[in-house]
């Protein structure tokens, strides 16, 4: 459900906003791929765009701003992370608690900072312990 809500905001056309550039990365928590974790890149210049991604089974992600996998506008970002691991209640999967330390959920407190440049962007691996 979280992914559906996040992707719902990606329906804008790239013609309506700044040019985006491909951004790829890897997120590991405790040394393991954080499959299903959700990242949001918050522009430090106050821009409205919020590129986002969901981490795949191998820990990789690709940012999306206007359409799936289109990347992010060039600029500086604070990165937030949430990972609501599933748990089972009465045989049904439901979101559990966020297993990421609270500082990573606030753009003002997150230690994850990124600069997206014009061109291909392969980010250094994010490691959360």
């Amino acid at each position: 459900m979280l992914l559906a809500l996040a992707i719902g905001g990606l329906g804008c056309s790239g013609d309506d906003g700044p040019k985006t550039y491909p951004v790829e990365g890897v997120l590991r928590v405790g040394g393991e791929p954080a499959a299903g974790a959700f990242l949001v890149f918050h522009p430090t210049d106050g821009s409205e765009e919020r590129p986002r991604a969901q981490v795949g089974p191998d820990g990789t992600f690709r940012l999306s701003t206007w359409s799936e996998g289109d990347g992010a506008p060039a600029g500086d970002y604070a990165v937030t992370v949430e990972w609501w691991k599933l748990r089972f209640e009465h045989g049904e999967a439901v979101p559990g608690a966020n297993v990421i330390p609270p500082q990573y959920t606030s753009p003002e407190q997150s230690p994850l900072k990124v600069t997206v440049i014009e061109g291909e962007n392969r980010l250094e691996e994010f490691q959360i312990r």
Side-chain angles (χ1 to χ4, degrees):
M1 182 153 143
L2 182 60
L3 177 61
L5 292 173
I7 291 178
L10 299 176
C12 299
S13 163
D15 295 337
D16 295 339
K19 181 169 176 47
T20 58
Y21 301 93
V23 180
E24 297 179 356
V26 174
L27 173 64
R28 295 189 189 283
V29 175
E32 299 296 321
F38 191 68
L39 298 99
V40 178
F41 283 52
H42 302 265
T44 59
D45 69 0
S47 299
E48 300 268 333
E49 294 81 23
R50 299 283 185 274
R52 34 191 101 214
Q54 187 164 26
V55 178
D58 60 354
T60 61
F61 63 87
R62 291 178 53 118
L63 280 185
S64 300
T65 299
W66 310 113
S67 61
E68 189 173 342
D70 67 341
D76 295 323
Y77 294 87
V79 182
T80 58
V81 181
E82 294 185 10
W83 192 13
W84 302 85
K85 283 206 165 179
L86 293 179
R87 60 186 175 81
F88 291 89
E89 273 184 17
H90 310 291
E92 244 182 79
V94 295
N98 183 13
V99 298
I100 301 296
Q103 73 187 43
Y104 291 92
T105 64
S106 165
E108 295 79 24
Q109 295 178 0
S110 178
L112 303 177
K113 309 295 184 203
V114 169
T115 298
V116 173
I117 61 169
E118 294 181 5
E120 297 280 327
N121 291 268
R122 291 185 193 262
L123 305 178
E124 287 188 34
E125 187 171 288
F126 293 146
Q127 287 277 348
I128 299 176
R129 302 202 189 306

